[in-house]
Amino acid sequence: MERLQKILAEAGYGSRRKVEKLIIEGVVTVNGQVAELGQKASRFDDIRVKGEKIILQRKVYYLLNKPEGYLCTLHDPFNRPKVTDLVPQEPRVFPVGRLDADTTGALLLTNDGQLSNHLLHPRYHVEKTYLVKVSGRVKPEDIRKLEKGIMLEDGMTLPAKAEVKKSTRDWTLVSLTITEGRKRQVKRMMKALGYPVLALHRERFGPLDVDDLKLGEFRNLTQSEIKSLRGSVRH
Ligand code: URA
């Protein structure tokens, strides 16, 4: 049994407040009886809103290796390619957080709003690992600064893990693991230290990696991956 509000919200009848209003208005029935606020129900009950039987979408979870040039928005006034174009259209899914159009790599898409909210919530510190190619040779003291925290216009960044993976005269490849998800955070962190970002790829999102996916490919998460994602936001 689950709270009726939760079931109705999942079936697309709006926010908690909206579905509570529907229940108070007396337009929701469970097995023919007018529902009451706070009541529990099972998803196998005959639940109706204004006489119409609700349809519960099955939950889907896709891991996409996002290619360059795709936007993480759902609507774009210029009709540019969207990440949602790369996965099945039914049931509708949305990206969990955002990657910039020119960033590649691990992106989760799902219709599980609750898990998505948790994964994006700052309190759970879900780790995201990026491979960043920057112009110039990154100094060891700057690696330490990345690890300790960098002052950005929206405050100090939390401690991160940083490591030089490869360096040449002209550019450096850095692995950077952060637990926040501020807008353009990696690019802003590197820029604050004087290194323009040439390319950015997300290798890992929490327990998920895209090692087995080519750019533009996606796959369904396994049951154990879904479990471990849920585990990463339960404290
Ligand atoms: N940080 C960025 O700057 N861009 C991204 O797309 C993701 C993290």
Side-chain angles (χ1 to χ4, degrees):
M1 298 285 263
E2 288 170 76
R3 286 165 68 83
L4 185 57
Q5 282 103 304
K6 187 167 169 255
I7 299 176
L8 289 172
E10 255 185 64
Y13 285 89
S15 64
R16 180 179 300 195
R17 181 152 313 153
K18 269 199 187 144
V19 300
E20 281 178 0
K21 198 161 162 265
L22 290 172
I23 298 172
I24 293 167
E25 283 169 3
V27 296
V28 181
T29 56
V30 178
N31 303 327
Q33 302 274 342
V34 175
E36 282 171 21
L37 202 57
Q39 150 171 9
K40 293 200 167 173
S42 138
R43 43 191 64 225
F44 302 109
D45 284 332
D46 179 346
I47 304 172
R48 292 173 187 255
V49 176
K50 296 180 186 160
E52 186 183 277
K53 198 167 179 344
I54 66 161
I55 298 168
L56 285 166
Q57 296 275 25
R58 76 197 149 89
K59 294 271 184 288
V60 293
Y61 306 84
Y62 305 128
L63 179 65
L64 172 72
N65 191 353
K66 178 191 170 298
E68 246 183 87
Y70 282 77
L71 301 178
C72 286
T73 46
L74 294 181
H75 303 287
D76 178 53
F78 303 107
N79 244 336
R80 286 170 293 185
K82 301 187 287 288
V83 288
T84 46
D85 299 340
L86 297 166
V87 294
Q89 298 302 296
E90 283 298 327
R92 289 193 72 76
V93 293
F94 49 85
V96 177
R98 289 192 177 180
L99 291 177
D100 299 332
D102 58 358
T103 300
T104 57
L107 183 68
L108 177 65
L109 294 112
T110 181
N111 54 357
D112 186 338
Q114 196 178 21
L115 181 63
S116 172
N117 285 340
H118 283 157
L119 289 168
L120 295 175
H121 198 288
R123 91 179 214 235
Y124 293 112
H125 301 306
V126 175
E127 287 195 342
K128 280 126 312 208
T129 300
Y130 293 88
L131 205 51
V132 202
K133 185 178 179 185
V134 294
S135 178
R137 208 182 250 277
V138 176
K139 299 191 204 90
E141 69 245 42
D142 287 333
I143 290 292
R144 283 194 291 277
K145 284 185 192 160
L146 287 169
E147 288 185 323
K148 279 176 86 177
I150 306 258
M151 188 48 113
L152 299 177
E153 67 262 38
D154 49 0
M156 278 302 264
T157 59
L158 287 178
K161 291 178 204 153
E163 191 190 339
V164 170
K165 287 286 182 190
K166 191 172 175 161
S167 106
T168 71
R169 214 166 41 112
D170 302 324
W171 51 264
T172 311
L173 209 51
V174 177
S175 168
L176 182 63
T177 300
I178 59 173
T179 61
E180 302 166 280
R182 301 194 212 166
K183 203 162 188 252
R184 304 185 69 249
Q185 182 167 344
V186 175
K187 289 179 186 163
R188 289 193 291 134
M189 287 170 82
M190 299 313 294
K191 191 156 172 252
L193 296 171
Y195 305 105
V197 171
L198 302 173
L200 183 57
H201 177 76
R202 184 154 72 186
E203 289 189 302
R204 292 190 78 86
F205 179 82
L208 312 173
D209 70 60
V210 285
D211 293 352
D212 58 343
L213 293 170
K214 297 201 184 86
L215 287 173
E217 279 184 354
F218 78 93
R219 63 174 174 80
N220 284 283
L221 294 193
T222 62
Q223 282 305 320
S224 83
E225 284 174 325
I226 297 169
K227 220 170 145 193
S228 108
L229 265 184
R230 293 217 170 99
S232 65
V233 290
R234 204 176 290 134
H235 291 297

Coordinates of all heavy atoms in Angstrom, one line a residue, residues 40-116:
K40 N -4.5 5.4 2.0 CA -3.5 4.5 1.2 C -4.3 3.7 0.2 O -5.5 3.4 0.3 CB -2.7 3.7 2.2 CG -1.9 4.5 3.1 CD -0.8 3.7 3.7 CE 0.3 4.6 4.3 NZ 1.3 3.9 5.1
A41 N -3.5 3.3 -0.8 CA -4.1 2.5 -1.9 C -3.1 1.6 -2.5 O -1.9 1.8 -2.2 CB -4.8 3.4 -2.9
S42 N -3.5 0.6 -3.3 CA -2.5 -0.2 -4.0 C -2.6 0.2 -5.4 O -3.6 0.6 -5.9 CB -2.8 -1.7 -3.8 OG -2.7 -2.4 -5.0
R43 N -1.5 0.0 -6.2 CA -1.5 0.4 -7.6 C -2.4 -0.6 -8.4 O -2.6 -0.4 -9.6 CB -0.1 0.6 -8.2 CG 0.9 -0.5 -7.8 CD 2.3 -0.1 -8.2 NE 2.7 1.1 -7.5 CZ 3.3 2.1 -8.1 NH1 3.6 2.1 -9.4 NH2 3.7 3.1 -7.4
F44 N -2.9 -1.7 -7.7 CA -3.8 -2.6 -8.5 C -5.2 -2.3 -8.2 O -6.1 -2.9 -8.7 CB -3.5 -4.0 -8.1 CG -2.0 -4.4 -8.4 CD1 -1.1 -4.6 -7.3 CD2 -1.6 -4.5 -9.7 CE1 0.2 -4.9 -7.6 CE2 -0.3 -4.8 -10.0 CZ 0.6 -5.0 -8.9
D45 N -5.5 -1.3 -7.3 CA -6.9 -0.8 -7.1 C -7.4 -0.1 -8.3 O -6.6 0.4 -9.2 CB -6.9 0.2 -5.9 CG -6.8 -0.5 -4.6 OD1 -7.2 -1.7 -4.5 OD2 -6.3 0.1 -3.6
D46 N -8.7 0.0 -8.4 CA -9.3 0.8 -9.5 C -9.4 2.2 -9.1 O -10.3 2.6 -8.3 CB -10.7 0.2 -9.8 CG -11.4 0.9 -10.9 OD1 -11.0 2.0 -11.3 OD2 -12.5 0.4 -11.4
I47 N -8.4 3.0 -9.5 CA -8.3 4.4 -9.0 C -8.8 5.3 -10.2 O -8.3 5.1 -11.3 CB -6.9 4.8 -8.6 CG1 -6.4 3.8 -7.5 CG2 -6.8 6.2 -8.1 CD1 -5.0 4.0 -7.1
R48 N -9.7 6.2 -9.9 CA -10.2 7.0 -11.0 C -10.2 8.5 -10.6 O -10.4 8.8 -9.4 CB -11.7 6.6 -11.3 CG -11.7 5.3 -12.0 CD -13.1 4.8 -12.2 NE -13.1 3.4 -12.7 CZ -13.3 3.0 -14.0 NH1 -13.7 3.9 -14.9 NH2 -13.2 1.8 -14.3
V49 N -10.0 9.4 -11.5 CA -10.1 10.8 -11.3 C -11.1 11.3 -12.3 O -11.0 11.1 -13.5 CB -8.7 11.5 -11.6 CG1 -8.9 13.0 -11.5 CG2 -7.6 11.0 -10.7
K50 N -12.2 11.9 -11.7 CA -13.4 12.3 -12.5 C -13.9 11.2 -13.4 O -14.1 11.4 -14.6 CB -13.0 13.5 -13.4 CG -12.7 14.8 -12.5 CD -12.3 16.0 -13.3 CE -11.8 17.1 -12.5 NZ -11.0 18.1 -13.1
G51 N -13.9 10.0 -12.8 CA -14.4 8.8 -13.6 C -13.4 8.1 -14.5 O -13.7 7.1 -15.0
E52 N -12.2 8.8 -14.7 CA -11.3 8.2 -15.7 C -10.2 7.4 -15.0 O -9.6 7.9 -14.0 CB -10.6 9.4 -16.4 CG -9.7 9.1 -17.5 CD -9.1 10.4 -18.0 OE1 -9.7 11.1 -18.8 OE2 -7.9 10.7 -17.6
K53 N -10.1 6.2 -15.4 CA -9.1 5.3 -14.7 C -7.7 5.7 -15.0 O -7.3 6.1 -16.1 CB -9.3 3.9 -15.3 CG -8.7 2.8 -14.5 CD -9.2 1.4 -15.0 CE -8.8 0.2 -14.4 NZ -7.8 0.0 -13.5
I54 N -6.9 5.8 -13.9 CA -5.5 6.3 -14.0 C -4.6 5.3 -14.7 O -4.9 4.1 -14.5 CB -4.9 6.8 -12.7 CG1 -4.7 5.6 -11.7 CG2 -5.8 7.9 -12.0 CD1 -3.7 5.9 -10.6
I55 N -3.6 5.7 -15.4 CA -2.7 4.8 -16.0 C -1.3 5.1 -15.4 O -0.8 6.2 -15.4 CB -2.6 5.0 -17.5 CG1 -4.0 4.7 -18.1 CG2 -1.5 4.1 -18.1 CD1 -4.1 5.1 -19.6
L56 N -0.7 4.0 -14.8 CA 0.6 4.2 -14.2 C 1.7 3.8 -15.2 O 1.6 2.6 -15.8 CB 0.7 3.3 -12.9 CG 0.0 3.9 -11.7 CD1 -0.2 2.9 -10.7 CD2 0.7 5.1 -11.2
Q57 N 2.6 4.7 -15.5 CA 3.7 4.4 -16.4 C 4.7 3.5 -15.7 O 5.0 3.6 -14.6 CB 4.4 5.7 -16.8 CG 3.6 6.7 -17.5 CD 3.6 6.4 -19.0 OE1 3.8 5.3 -19.4 NE2 3.3 7.4 -19.8
R58 N 5.2 2.5 -16.5 CA 6.3 1.7 -15.9 C 7.5 2.6 -15.9 O 7.7 3.5 -16.7 CB 6.5 0.5 -16.8 CG 7.2 0.7 -18.0 CD 7.1 -0.5 -19.0 NE 7.1 0.1 -20.4 CZ 8.3 0.2 -21.0 NH1 9.4 -0.2 -20.5 NH2 8.3 0.8 -22.2
K59 N 8.3 2.4 -14.9 CA 9.5 3.2 -14.7 C 10.7 2.7 -15.6 O 10.9 1.5 -15.7 CB 10.0 3.1 -13.3 CG 9.1 3.7 -12.3 CD 9.4 5.2 -12.1 CE 8.5 5.8 -11.0 NZ 7.1 5.9 -11.5
V60 N 11.3 3.6 -16.3 CA 12.4 3.2 -17.1 C 13.7 4.0 -16.7 O 13.5 5.2 -16.3 CB 12.1 3.3 -18.6 CG1 11.1 2.4 -19.1 CG2 11.7 4.8 -19.0
Y61 N 14.8 3.4 -16.9 CA 16.1 4.1 -16.6 C 17.1 3.8 -17.7 O 17.4 2.7 -17.9 CB 16.6 3.5 -15.3 CG 15.6 3.5 -14.1 CD1 14.7 2.5 -14.0 CD2 15.7 4.5 -13.2 CE1 13.7 2.5 -13.0 CE2 14.8 4.6 -12.1 CZ 13.8 3.5 -12.0 OH 12.9 3.6 -11.0
Y62 N 17.5 4.9 -18.4 CA 18.5 4.7 -19.4 C 19.8 5.4 -19.1 O 19.7 6.5 -18.5 CB 18.0 5.4 -20.7 CG 16.6 4.9 -21.2 CD1 15.6 5.9 -21.5 CD2 16.3 3.6 -21.4 CE1 14.4 5.4 -21.9 CE2 15.1 3.2 -21.8 CZ 14.1 4.1 -22.1 OH 12.9 3.7 -22.5
L63 N 20.9 4.8 -19.4 CA 22.2 5.5 -19.3 C 22.6 5.8 -20.7 O 22.8 4.9 -21.6 CB 23.2 4.6 -18.6 CG 24.6 5.2 -18.5 CD1 24.5 6.4 -17.5 CD2 25.5 4.2 -17.9
L64 N 22.8 7.1 -21.0 CA 23.2 7.5 -22.3 C 24.7 8.0 -22.3 O 25.1 8.6 -21.3 CB 22.3 8.7 -22.7 CG 22.7 9.4 -24.0 CD1 22.4 8.6 -25.3 CD2 21.9 10.8 -24.1
N65 N 25.4 7.6 -23.3 CA 26.7 8.3 -23.5 C 26.5 9.5 -24.4 O 26.4 9.3 -25.6 CB 27.7 7.3 -24.1 CG 29.1 7.8 -24.0 OD1 29.4 9.0 -23.7 ND2 30.1 7.0 -24.4
K66 N 26.3 10.6 -23.8 CA 25.8 11.8 -24.5 C 26.9 12.3 -25.5 O 28.0 12.5 -25.2 CB 25.5 12.9 -23.6 CG 25.1 14.2 -24.2 CD 25.0 15.3 -23.2 CE 24.8 16.7 -23.9 NZ 25.9 17.1 -24.8
P67 N 26.5 12.4 -26.8 CA 27.4 13.0 -27.8 C 27.4 14.5 -27.7 O 26.5 15.1 -27.1 CB 26.9 12.5 -29.1 CG 25.5 12.1 -28.9 CD 25.2 12.1 -27.4
E68 N 28.3 15.1 -28.4 CA 28.4 16.6 -28.4 C 27.2 17.1 -29.3 O 26.7 16.4 -30.1 CB 29.6 17.0 -29.2 CG 30.6 17.8 -28.3 CD 31.8 18.2 -29.1 OE1 31.7 19.3 -29.6 OE2 32.8 17.5 -29.1
G69 N 26.7 18.3 -28.9 CA 25.7 19.0 -29.8 C 24.3 18.7 -29.4 O 23.4 19.2 -30.0
Y70 N 24.1 17.9 -28.3 CA 22.8 17.6 -27.9 C 22.4 18.4 -26.6 O 23.3 18.5 -25.7 CB 22.6 16.1 -27.6 CG 22.4 15.4 -28.9 CD1 23.5 15.1 -29.8 CD2 21.1 15.0 -29.4 CE1 23.3 14.5 -31.0 CE2 21.0 14.3 -30.6 CZ 22.1 14.1 -31.4 OH 21.9 13.5 -32.6
L71 N 21.2 19.0 -26.5 CA 20.8 19.8 -25.3 C 20.1 18.9 -24.3 O 19.4 17.9 -24.7 CB 19.9 20.9 -25.8 CG 20.4 21.9 -26.8 CD1 19.3 22.9 -27.1 CD2 21.6 22.6 -26.3
C72 N 20.3 19.3 -23.0 CA 19.5 18.5 -22.0 C 18.2 19.2 -21.6 O 17.6 18.8 -20.7 CB 20.4 18.5 -20.7 SG 21.8 17.3 -20.9
T73 N 17.8 20.1 -22.4 CA 16.5 20.8 -22.2 C 15.4 19.9 -22.8 O 15.7 19.1 -23.7 CB 16.4 22.2 -22.8 OG1 16.9 22.1 -24.1 CG2 17.1 23.2 -22.0
L74 N 14.1 20.1 -22.4 CA 13.0 19.3 -23.0 C 12.4 20.0 -24.2 O 11.9 19.4 -25.1 CB 11.9 19.0 -21.9 CG 12.4 18.1 -20.8 CD1 11.2 17.9 -19.8 CD2 12.9 16.8 -21.3
H75 N 12.5 21.4 -24.2 CA 12.0 22.2 -25.3 C 13.0 23.2 -25.7 O 13.6 23.8 -24.8 CB 10.7 22.9 -24.8 CG 9.7 22.0 -24.3 ND1 8.9 21.2 -25.1 CD2 9.3 21.8 -23.1 CE1 8.1 20.5 -24.4 NE2 8.3 20.8 -23.1
D76 N 13.2 23.3 -27.0 CA 14.2 24.3 -27.4 C 13.5 25.1 -28.5 O 13.1 24.5 -29.5 CB 15.4 23.6 -28.0 CG 16.4 24.6 -28.5 OD1 16.8 25.5 -27.8 OD2 16.8 24.5 -29.7
P77 N 13.5 26.4 -28.4 CA 12.8 27.2 -29.4 C 13.4 27.1 -30.7 O 12.8 27.4 -31.7 CB 12.9 28.7 -28.8 CG 13.9 28.6 -27.7 CD 14.0 27.2 -27.2
F78 N 14.7 26.7 -30.8 CA 15.4 26.7 -32.1 C 15.4 25.3 -32.7 O 16.0 25.0 -33.7 CB 16.8 27.2 -32.0 CG 16.9 28.6 -31.5 CD1 17.3 28.9 -30.2 CD2 16.4 29.7 -32.3 CE1 17.3 30.2 -29.7 CE2 16.5 31.0 -31.8 CZ 16.9 31.2 -30.5
N79 N 14.7 24.3 -32.0 CA 14.6 23.0 -32.5 C 15.9 22.3 -32.7 O 16.1 21.5 -33.6 CB 13.8 23.0 -33.8 CG 12.6 22.2 -33.7 OD1 12.4 21.4 -32.8 ND2 11.6 22.5 -34.5
R80 N 16.9 22.6 -31.8 CA 18.2 21.9 -31.9 C 18.0 20.5 -31.3 O 17.1 20.2 -30.6 CB 19.2 22.7 -31.1 CG 19.6 23.9 -31.8 CD 20.5 24.8 -30.9 NE 19.7 25.4 -29.8 CZ 20.2 26.2 -28.9 NH1 21.4 26.7 -29.0 NH2 19.4 26.7 -28.0
P81 N 19.0 19.6 -31.6 CA 18.9 18.2 -31.1 C 18.8 18.1 -29.6 O 19.5 18.9 -28.9 CB 20.1 17.5 -31.7 CG 20.7 18.4 -32.7 CD 20.2 19.8 -32.4
K82 N 18.0 17.2 -29.1 CA 17.9 17.1 -27.6 C 18.3 15.7 -27.2 O 18.1 14.7 -28.0 CB 16.5 17.3 -27.2 CG 15.9 18.7 -27.6 CD 14.5 18.9 -27.0 CE 13.5 18.1 -27.7 NZ 13.1 18.5 -29.0
V83 N 18.8 15.5 -26.0 CA 19.2 14.2 -25.5 C 18.0 13.2 -25.6 O 18.2 12.0 -25.8 CB 19.8 14.2 -24.1 CG1 21.2 14.8 -24.2 CG2 19.0 14.9 -23.1
T84 N 16.8 13.7 -25.4 CA 15.7 12.8 -25.4 C 15.4 12.3 -26.8 O 14.6 11.3 -26.9 CB 14.4 13.5 -24.8 OG1 14.4 14.8 -25.4 CG2 14.5 13.7 -23.3
D85 N 16.0 12.9 -27.8 CA 15.8 12.3 -29.2 C 16.5 11.0 -29.3 O 16.3 10.3 -30.3 CB 16.4 13.3 -30.2 CG 15.7 14.7 -30.2 OD1 14.5 14.7 -29.7 OD2 16.3 15.6 -30.7
L86 N 17.5 10.7 -28.4 CA 18.3 9.6 -28.6 C 17.8 8.3 -27.9 O 18.5 7.3 -27.9 CB 19.7 9.9 -28.1 CG 20.5 11.0 -28.8 CD1 21.7 11.5 -28.0 CD2 20.9 10.6 -30.2
V87 N 16.7 8.4 -27.2 CA 16.2 7.3 -26.4 C 14.7 7.1 -26.8 O 14.1 8.0 -27.5 CB 16.3 7.5 -24.9 CG1 17.7 7.6 -24.4 CG2 15.5 8.8 -24.5
P88 N 14.1 5.9 -26.5 CA 12.7 5.7 -26.8 C 11.8 6.9 -26.4 O 12.0 7.5 -25.3 CB 12.3 4.4 -26.1 CG 13.6 3.7 -25.9 CD 14.6 4.8 -25.7
Q89 N 10.7 7.2 -27.1 CA 9.9 8.3 -26.8 C 8.8 8.0 -25.8 O 8.2 8.9 -25.2 CB 9.2 8.8 -28.1 CG 10.3 9.3 -29.1 CD 11.1 10.4 -28.5 OE1 10.7 11.5 -28.2 NE2 12.4 10.2 -28.4
E90 N 8.5 6.7 -25.7 CA 7.4 6.2 -24.7 C 8.0 5.2 -23.8 O 8.6 4.2 -24.3 CB 6.2 5.7 -25.5 CG 5.3 6.7 -26.1 CD 4.7 7.7 -25.1 OE1 4.4 7.2 -24.0 OE2 4.5 8.8 -25.5
P91 N 7.8 5.2 -22.5 CA 7.3 6.4 -21.8 C 8.2 7.6 -21.8 O 9.4 7.4 -22.0 CB 7.1 5.9 -20.4 CG 8.0 4.8 -20.3 CD 8.2 4.1 -21.6
R92 N 7.7 8.8 -21.7 CA 8.6 10.0 -21.7 C 9.5 10.0 -20.5 O 9.1 9.7 -19.4 CB 7.7 11.2 -21.7 CG 6.9 11.4 -23.0 CD 6.4 12.8 -23.1 NE 7.4 13.8 -23.4 CZ 8.0 14.0 -24.5 NH1 7.6 13.2 -25.6 NH2 8.9 14.9 -24.7
V93 N 10.8 10.3 -20.8 CA 11.8 10.5 -19.8 C 12.4 11.8 -19.8 O 12.2 12.6 -20.8 CB 12.9 9.4 -20.0 CG1 12.4 8.0 -19.7 CG2 13.6 9.5 -21.3
F94 N 13.2 12.2 -18.8 CA 13.9 13.4 -18.8 C 15.3 13.2 -18.2 O 15.5 12.2 -17.4 CB 13.1 14.5 -17.9 CG 12.7 13.9 -16.6 CD1 13.5 13.9 -15.5 CD2 11.4 13.3 -16.4 CE1 13.2 13.4 -14.3 CE2 11.1 12.7 -15.2 CZ 11.9 12.8 -14.1
P95 N 16.2 14.1 -18.5 CA 17.6 13.9 -18.0 C 17.7 14.2 -16.6 O 17.0 15.2 -16.1 CB 18.4 14.8 -18.9 CG 17.5 15.8 -19.4 CD 16.1 15.2 -19.5
V96 N 18.5 13.5 -15.8 CA 18.7 13.8 -14.4 C 19.9 14.8 -14.4 O 21.1 14.4 -14.6 CB 19.1 12.5 -13.7 CG1 19.4 12.8 -12.2 CG2 17.9 11.5 -13.8
G97 N 19.6 16.0 -14.2 CA 20.6 17.1 -14.2 C 21.0 17.4 -15.7 O 20.3 17.0 -16.6
R98 N 22.0 18.2 -15.8 CA 22.3 18.7 -17.2 C 23.8 18.6 -17.5 O 24.6 18.7 -16.6 CB 22.0 20.2 -17.3 CG 20.5 20.4 -17.3 CD 20.2 21.8 -17.8 NE 18.7 21.9 -17.8 CZ 18.1 23.0 -18.2 NH1 18.7 24.1 -18.5 NH2 16.8 23.0 -18.2
L99 N 24.1 18.3 -18.7 CA 25.4 18.4 -19.2 C 25.3 19.5 -20.3 O 24.3 19.6 -21.0 CB 25.9 17.1 -19.9 CG 26.2 15.9 -18.9 CD1 26.6 14.7 -19.7 CD2 27.3 16.3 -17.9
D100 N 26.4 20.3 -20.4 CA 26.4 21.4 -21.5 C 26.3 20.7 -22.9 O 26.7 19.5 -23.0 CB 27.7 22.2 -21.4 CG 27.8 22.9 -20.1 OD1 26.8 23.2 -19.5 OD2 29.0 23.1 -19.7
A101 N 25.9 21.5 -23.9 CA 25.8 20.9 -25.2 C 27.1 20.3 -25.7 O 27.1 19.3 -26.3 CB 25.3 22.0 -26.2
D102 N 28.2 21.0 -25.3 CA 29.5 20.4 -25.8 C 30.2 19.4 -24.9 O 31.3 19.0 -25.1 CB 30.5 21.6 -26.1 CG 30.7 22.5 -24.9 OD1 30.1 22.3 -23.8 OD2 31.5 23.4 -25.0
T103 N 29.5 19.1 -23.8 CA 30.0 18.0 -22.9 C 29.5 16.7 -23.3 O 28.3 16.5 -23.8 CB 29.5 18.3 -21.4 OG1 30.0 19.6 -21.1 CG2 30.1 17.3 -20.5
T104 N 30.3 15.6 -23.2 CA 29.9 14.3 -23.6 C 29.9 13.4 -22.3 O 30.4 13.8 -21.3 CB 31.0 13.7 -24.6 OG1 32.3 13.7 -24.0 CG2 31.0 14.4 -25.9
G105 N 29.3 12.2 -22.5 CA 29.5 11.2 -21.4 C 28.2 10.8 -20.7 O 27.1 11.0 -21.2
A106 N 28.4 10.3 -19.4 CA 27.3 9.6 -18.7 C 26.2 10.5 -18.3 O 26.3 11.5 -17.6 CB 27.9 9.0 -17.4
L107 N 25.0 10.2 -18.8 CA 23.8 10.9 -18.5 C 22.7 9.9 -18.3 O 22.4 9.1 -19.1 CB 23.4 11.9 -19.6 CG 22.2 12.8 -19.4 CD1 22.5 13.8 -18.3 CD2 21.8 13.5 -20.7
L108 N 22.0 10.1 -17.1 CA 20.9 9.2 -16.8 C 19.6 9.9 -17.2 O 19.4 11.1 -17.0 CB 20.9 9.0 -15.2 CG 19.8 8.2 -14.6 CD1 19.9 6.7 -15.1 CD2 19.9 8.3 -13.1
L109 N 18.7 9.1 -17.9 CA 17.4 9.6 -18.2 C 16.4 8.7 -17.6 O 16.5 7.4 -17.7 CB 17.2 9.7 -19.7 CG 18.2 10.7 -20.5 CD1 19.2 9.9 -21.3 CD2 17.3 11.6 -21.3
T110 N 15.3 9.2 -17.0 CA 14.3 8.4 -16.4 C 13.0 9.1 -16.3 O 13.0 10.3 -16.5 CB 14.8 7.9 -15.0 OG1 13.8 7.1 -14.4 CG2 15.1 9.1 -14.1
N111 N 12.0 8.4 -16.0 CA 10.7 9.0 -15.6 C 10.4 8.8 -14.1 O 9.3 9.0 -13.6 CB 9.5 8.4 -16.4 CG 9.5 6.9 -16.3 OD1 10.3 6.3 -15.7 ND2 8.5 6.3 -16.9
D112 N 11.4 8.4 -13.4 CA 11.3 8.3 -11.9 C 11.7 9.6 -11.2 O 12.9 9.8 -11.0 CB 12.3 7.1 -11.5 CG 12.1 6.8 -10.0 OD1 11.7 7.7 -9.2 OD2 12.5 5.7 -9.6
G113 N 10.7 10.4 -11.1 CA 10.9 11.8 -10.5 C 11.5 11.8 -9.1 O 12.4 12.6 -8.8
Q114 N 11.1 10.8 -8.3 CA 11.6 10.8 -6.9 C 13.1 10.5 -6.9 O 13.9 11.2 -6.2 CB 10.8 9.8 -6.2 CG 10.9 10.0 -4.7 CD 10.1 9.0 -3.9 OE1 9.7 7.9 -4.4 NE2 9.8 9.3 -2.7
L115 N 13.5 9.5 -7.6 CA 14.9 9.1 -7.6 C 15.7 10.3 -8.2 O 16.8 10.6 -7.7 CB 15.1 7.8 -8.4 CG 16.6 7.4 -8.5 CD1 17.1 7.0 -7.1 CD2 16.8 6.2 -9.4
S116 N 15.2 10.9 -9.3 CA 15.9 12.0 -9.9 C 16.1 13.1 -8.9 O 17.2 13.7 -8.8 CB 15.1 12.5 -11.1 OG 15.6 13.6 -11.6

